[in-house]
Amino acid sequence: MDRQMILSRGSEMGVRGLQGFVGSTCPHVCTAVNFKELAEQHRSQHPGCTPTVVVDAMCCLRYWYTPESWVCGGQWREYFAALRDFVQAFTTVGIKLVFFFDGMVEQGKRAVWVRRRLKNNREIARIFHYIKSHREQPGRNMFFIPSGLAIFTRFALKTLGQETLCSLQEADYEVATYGLQNNCLGILGEDTDYLIYDTCPYFSISELCLDSLDTVMLCRERLCESLELSLADLPVLACLLGNDTVPEGMFESFRFQCLSSYTSMKENADKRGNVILAVADHIAKVLRLHQGEKKLEEMLPLGQNKALFYKGVASYLLPGQTSPWIFQKPKGVTTLGKQIVSMSTDPEFEPESLVCTHPESKEETPLCTHPETEQEDPMNMEPEMKQQVTMVSDTEILKVARAQHVQAESYLVYGVMSSGEIECSNTLEDALDQALPSQAFVYRPMRQRVYSLLLGAGGDGASSGPVIREWFVHSGNPLRHPDLVRPLPMHVPGGTPSLKVLWLSQEPGVEARRMDTLLACLDLSASREELQAVESPFQALCCLLTYLFVQVDTLCLEDLHAFIAQALCLQGKSAGQLMDLQLEHVDSRAVQLGSLLVRGLSMLVLVNSACGFPWSNSDFMPWNVFDGKLFHEKYLQSEKGCPAEVLVEQNRSRLTRFHDLKSIVCKACMREDRRIVSRQHWRPHHPGRWEKPGSSSHRTNSGHSRSGRGQHWRAQGPGSRQREPDRWRRHSPSSGGT
């Protein structure tokens, strides 16, 4: 595999143009090193201290995903084995790994997040065009990480016994802080911001050879020598060049002026490289002349961008660090998103508000504030008292949610409770396939019930409950604004328990209440006896399949057969056997179904953590219940009309279990007035799409066809904001018609 090619396809992270500049113009900044030798040096210099590498996990996902097949939904057992090998390579030489994952998108960086998501949409469209044209997986030049890879990597690493943390702000800041404060051997990642932070050494994941543990260290001191700058100058350089805080175009004319007056052009540097040299020269020879005498805004054309520029510079200051470029002596602390940094008290420098109101709505989400201190949470970066704006007032419950978030034990829960805002990145979905709805809509009713559990619903139902801002990528959504979504009332037998009961109580019978609440989140309370009787790991899968088939009318019996058969056959297969599996061809619909199911498994992480963990996480980890290539094989067989015996590979015990699981799902769906039928009973609607007479592709909670009211599911996109509550309520026998 050409790792460098795969990694380079990701959007450039950090300072614009710096990665290419270092590689082409300043190659001496990169030094070949060996982790085993570095660890031995570290032990000799720091006796009794374990050499620790802090890993920016989000930068490493492409490196870690080594399976050849990636388009079918993920080769999860192969991936788990690759992660195990990665961890083992470091632990063998006595190096401890600490993994950080992004936990929040800061408001100031939402535009960058959106831009990358829209770029990914274009890449996904090309992937589906290729699949439909060639009936095979595209080459590695079009590689796209499987949906849900980040969330399940967290749990895989925890399963492997690794310390895994989820950030409360931008992950690179926490990675750099952890590396500095814990005297780490270094940072492993692929983000040029690590060349700007004044922290421990920075190593490249893309250059890592796992067998030898050789890699490249990017030395910020050598970068400073090349640019004739000091370490304290690097944040100013980063902001003038453009980064994830300061848009690249903001200082384009300034950079051009620097280049025009720069006289030491390097022949081995391209235009962008010479721009970097010119800007660095301006900092060293012009700005430094008045440093300490004039403010930066008197020397730079900051204008109305003054606050954003200072925020960008301050964002590189780790706890306890100051910048000579911030003129006034700090008189306090300013909250920047989720981050606290010491900086100037310039009256024009205002922090971004954590409270967001939709531009088309005059409603404002009811919020609460409460103080938090560093003593309560070791992940806090500053000891000063701060006020955090949250959606809930119960500090004890919020503290539990925060701790579970930091320890990477939950998913989305803390975002809902703290800021009322969550996001979900791209999914391998075909924008041209009108028969299958986006996962963003399919799992929204499930999320809405979780919102009700976490935040409570209004007295008259969903119409007056708190508003959640969802940034979910789906076809046709330009992501200019979040979708505003309200909670759905829950119907838990015996009443909805409080979060204190679900999360903290050890009383007898609480486990049963947790499971009842989980099934209510999926609106499956009517079938709880049958579903709870299913053994692990198939219980969670049956619940998800029932939910999925009730929600999506265009799923047929053949699809159900494929989902169940692959889960059963997976139990007896090794990663090596799955690797050797060869597909007759690749089907675009099966690709989308694979991603749809995996996204559903990630939603089970949300539901399970919100309900107090009634299930063991292993029950719905994809390496235990799903393999993309195996599902694809079963899908193709099922489409051909192969009998169940063939689908379960002539295994008698599997065949019995196959019919049992199928029966449970079909009966549970029938209770929701959803009869799963064979595709043979359908009629062709148009080429590439099949539709049951009188059905829609996505059921609403009232059980009626959305398209029957002239509103197709794709119309639920960016133009539609708050939904009427009844549109998402399905009247089941267990809910009493409410």
Side-chain angles (χ1 to χ4, degrees):
M1 179 199 309
D2 188 344
R3 291 192 189 277
Q4 188 64 50
M5 175 185 70
I6 293 171
L7 285 156
S8 67
R9 290 193 64 248
S11 299
E12 183 175 357
M13 301 175 70
V15 186
R16 304 297 178 258
L18 189 56
Q19 185 77 43
F21 171 78
V22 167
S24 62
T25 309
C26 299
H28 62 283
V29 171
C30 304
T31 305
V33 294
N34 179 270
F35 273 119
K36 183 178 180 181
E37 295 173 1
L38 291 173
E40 292 171 353
Q41 295 171 12
H42 192 275
R43 275 188 287 267
S44 65
Q45 295 169 1
H46 307 278
C49 180
T50 302
T52 301
V53 172
V54 54
V55 183
D56 186 335
M58 301 301 288
C59 293
C60 301
L61 294 177
R62 289 172 175 266
Y63 176 93
W64 288 330
Y65 192 85
T66 57
E68 181 182 344
S69 176
W70 48 270
V71 82
C72 296
Q75 300 306 110
W76 296 97
R77 286 207 170 167
E78 293 179 55
Y79 181 63
F80 189 89
L83 284 177
R84 185 176 56 228
D85 293 343
F86 180 87
V87 168
Q88 185 63 36
F90 283 88
T91 54
T92 297
V93 298
I95 294 177
K96 176 185 175 182
L97 298 174
V98 177
F99 298 87
F100 272 84
F101 287 81
D102 278 325
M104 301 281 183
V105 176
E106 293 181 11
Q107 290 299 326
K109 298 190 178 182
R110 178 63 68 186
V112 175
W113 185 88
V114 167
R115 186 169 64 248
R116 289 173 177 164
R117 302 293 78 76
L118 296 178
K119 178 178 180 289
N120 288 345
N121 276 345
R122 295 190 292 272
E123 293 177 355
I124 290 172
R126 288 194 290 270
I127 289 170
F128 275 101
H129 177 75
Y130 184 95
I131 292 171
K132 288 185 277 191
S133 300
H134 298 83
R135 302 183 78 200
E136 64 183 18
Q137 175 178 279
R140 279 289 186 176
N141 63 312
M142 297 178 73
F143 174 75
F144 197 89
I145 62 172
S147 302
L149 194 67
I151 173 63
F152 290 116
T153 301
R154 298 184 209 170
F155 289 95
L157 291 169
K158 292 182 79 68
T159 301
L160 292 168
Q162 298 304 293
E163 185 173 351
T164 307
L165 301 169
C166 201
S167 71
L168 291 166
Q169 58 199 66
E170 194 70 17
D172 58 8
Y173 182 88
E174 294 194 12
V175 167
T177 300
Y178 188 97
L180 178 66
Q181 294 183 338
N182 293 277
N183 192 28
C184 288
L185 184 64
I187 292 167
L188 184 60
E190 204 69 27
D191 187 336
T192 47
D193 275 337
Y194 294 127
L195 270 173
I196 308 300
Y197 287 112
D198 186 3
T199 182
C200 61
Y202 161 42
F203 305 105
S204 169
I205 182 66
S206 67
E207 299 292 338
L208 175 65
C209 174
L210 198 59
D211 292 337
S212 63
L213 288 182
D214 291 328
T215 189
V216 165
M217 179 178 73
L218 290 89
C219 180
R220 59 184 70 89
E221 288 78 12
R222 289 189 178 183
L223 176 64
C224 287
E225 290 173 6
S226 299
L227 300 177
E228 298 182 6
L229 298 176
S230 69
L231 287 174
D233 298 329
L234 292 180
V236 174
L237 174 70
C239 292
L240 289 174
L241 294 176
N243 54 22
D244 288 351
T245 300
V246 180
E248 185 177 10
M250 188 174 290
F251 294 103
E252 187 172 4
S253 60
F254 169 77
R255 292 193 297 270
F256 179 78
Q257 292 172 7
C258 290
L259 185 63
S260 300
S261 59
Y262 184 57
T263 57
S264 304
M265 300 288 186
K266 287 193 176 183
E267 293 182 1
N268 65 327
D270 57 13
K271 181 179 180 181
R272 186 182 286 265
N274 276 313
V275 166
I276 294 175
L277 291 168
V279 173
D281 184 70
H282 186 84
I283 294 171
K285 296 179 180 176
V286 179
L287 299 187
R288 280 229 203 97
L289 287 176
H290 306 287
Q291 188 175 14
E293 301 173 3
K294 294 183 178 181
K295 299 179 183 180
L296 268 176
E297 62 264 25
E298 296 174 10
M299 299 185 282
L300 290 172
L302 300 185
Q304 63 181 5
N305 302 316
K306 173 183 170 183
L308 187 60
F309 183 83
Y310 274 117
K311 175 179 176 179
V313 173
S315 70
Y316 288 109
L317 301 181
L318 302 181
Q321 295 179 349
T322 58
S323 170
W325 292 105
I326 296 175
F327 180 69
Q328 290 175 284
K329 184 178 180 180
K331 298 178 183 177
V333 293
T334 300
T335 301
L336 301 179
K338 300 287 189 301
Q339 168 182 323
I340 296 182
V341 294
S342 298
M343 62 165 306
S344 168
T345 54
D346 191 316
E348 292 183 36
F349 184 63
E350 293 295 335
E352 289 201 23
S353 173
L354 289 181
V355 184
C356 174
T357 58
H358 194 276
E360 298 174 10
S361 170
K362 295 183 179 179
E363 296 177 279
E364 188 164 315
T365 303
L367 299 167
C368 304
T369 62
H370 64 90
E372 294 181 352
T373 60
E374 201 242 355
Q375 286 75 15
E376 297 178 16
D377 184 353
M379 292 305 297
N380 240 335
M381 296 305 177
E382 291 286 334
E384 291 90 347
M385 186 77 74
K386 68 175 179 176
Q387 285 280 322
Q388 181 175 0
V389 183
T390 64
M391 298 286 286
V392 297
S393 58
D394 190 326
T395 56
E396 181 182 16
I397 283 297
L398 193 66
K399 193 186 302 183
V400 173
R402 179 178 170 126
Q404 290 175 351
H405 171 92
V406 169
Q407 296 301 321
E409 295 168 352
S410 64
Y411 176 54
L412 300 180
V413 169
Y414 185 66
V416 171
M417 299 181 73
S418 62
S419 65
E421 184 170 52
I422 62 171
E423 58 275 322
C424 182
S425 187
N426 304 77
T427 303
L428 277 177
E429 296 177 338
D430 184 4
L432 301 180
D433 183 354
Q434 295 291 307
L436 287 174
S438 169
Q439 64 90 18
F441 302 127
V442 172
Y443 299 114
R444 177 171 284 167
M446 185 190 300
R447 296 194 301 274
Q448 287 177 286
R449 295 187 189 96
V450 172
Y451 301 157
S452 177
L453 179 64
L454 298 177
L455 305 176
D460 60 345
S463 62
S464 64
V467 174
I468 307 301
R469 301 183 300 279
E470 291 190 340
W471 295 89
F472 274 61
V473 181
H474 54 78
S475 175
N477 185 3
L479 295 171
R480 295 191 188 98
H481 312 293
D483 283 333
L484 300 186
V485 180
R486 293 190 188 273
L488 271 178
M490 291 186 55
H491 305 285
V492 183
T496 304
S498 69
L499 291 181
K500 283 191 175 179
V501 169
L502 292 173
W503 293 8
L504 304 175
S505 176
Q506 302 296 324
E507 294 295 319
V510 170
E511 278 301 318
R513 298 200 72 187
R514 289 178 180 134
M515 181 58 72
D516 284 345
T517 307
L518 183 148
L519 292 174
C521 287
L522 276 61
D523 206 15
L524 297 177
S525 298
S527 301
R528 69 181 185 275
E529 289 186 14
E530 295 93 333
L531 290 169
Q532 287 186 247
V534 180
E535 73 278 14
S536 297
F538 304 112
Q539 184 182 105
L541 180 66
C542 282
C543 289
L544 177 58
L545 290 177
T546 303
Y547 176 90
L548 189 56
F549 276 74
V550 168
Q551 289 294 316
V552 185
D553 279 351
T554 49
L555 294 177
C556 63
L557 202 57
E558 287 80 2
D559 301 327
L560 179 61
H561 289 172
F563 280 128
I564 294 176
Q566 68 84 30
L568 291 170
C569 293
L570 177 62
Q571 307 309 309
K573 295 189 185 297
S574 66
Q577 289 174 312
L578 295 166
M579 186 186 305
D580 293 337
L581 190 63
Q582 298 297 315
L583 296 176
E584 185 179 295
H585 67 271
V586 173
D587 182 277
S588 63
R589 184 175 183 273
V591 167
Q592 190 161 343
L593 287 181
S595 292
L596 183 61
L597 186 86
V598 172
R599 283 298 190 196
L601 293 174
S602 72
M603 286 297 106
L604 292 187
V605 180
L606 166 65
V607 176
N608 193 51
S609 51
C611 296
F613 305 97
W615 279 329
S616 166
N617 285 329
S618 62
D619 288 349
F620 48 88
M621 290 298 109
W623 49 87
N624 289 329
V625 294
F626 181 81
D627 178 88
K629 202 159 48 166
L630 184 59
F631 167 71
H632 221 92
E633 179 187 66
K634 302 305 176 187
Y635 177 90
L636 296 176
Q637 291 174 347
S638 187
E639 284 288 288
K640 287 181 179 178
C642 292
E645 292 82 358
V646 174
L647 294 179
V648 299
E649 300 171 4
Q650 309 296 335
N651 183 295
R652 184 169 297 178
S653 63
R654 279 189 211 145
L655 182 62
T656 301
R657 195 175 291 176
F658 174 90
H659 287 300
D660 289 343
L661 298 180
K662 173 186 172 181
S663 175
I664 288 169
V665 172
C666 288
K667 287 179 180 178
C669 286
M670 282 294 291
R671 285 195 178 91
E672 305 300 327
D673 195 30
R674 166 71 158 105
R675 182 167 174 259
I676 306 175
V677 298
S678 169
R679 181 163 297 164
Q680 297 174 4
H681 299 296
W682 292 5
R683 59 177 174 81
H685 184 68
H686 60 69
R689 177 178 176 182
W690 291 79
E691 187 175 90
K692 284 168 54 181
S695 78
S696 71
S697 60
H698 182 196
R699 294 166 69 90
T700 66
N701 283 12
S702 62
H704 297 294
S705 163
R706 182 172 297 161
S707 58
R709 290 199 296 268
Q711 186 178 21
H712 188 265
W713 67 266
R714 288 196 183 274
Q716 294 285 312
S720 73
R721 293 294 170 228
Q722 184 53 48
R723 280 85 181 163
E724 292 298 323
D726 283 344
R727 291 231 178 127
W728 291 102
R729 184 177 300 141
R730 180 170 61 251
H731 301 294
S732 65
S734 64
S735 65
T738 60

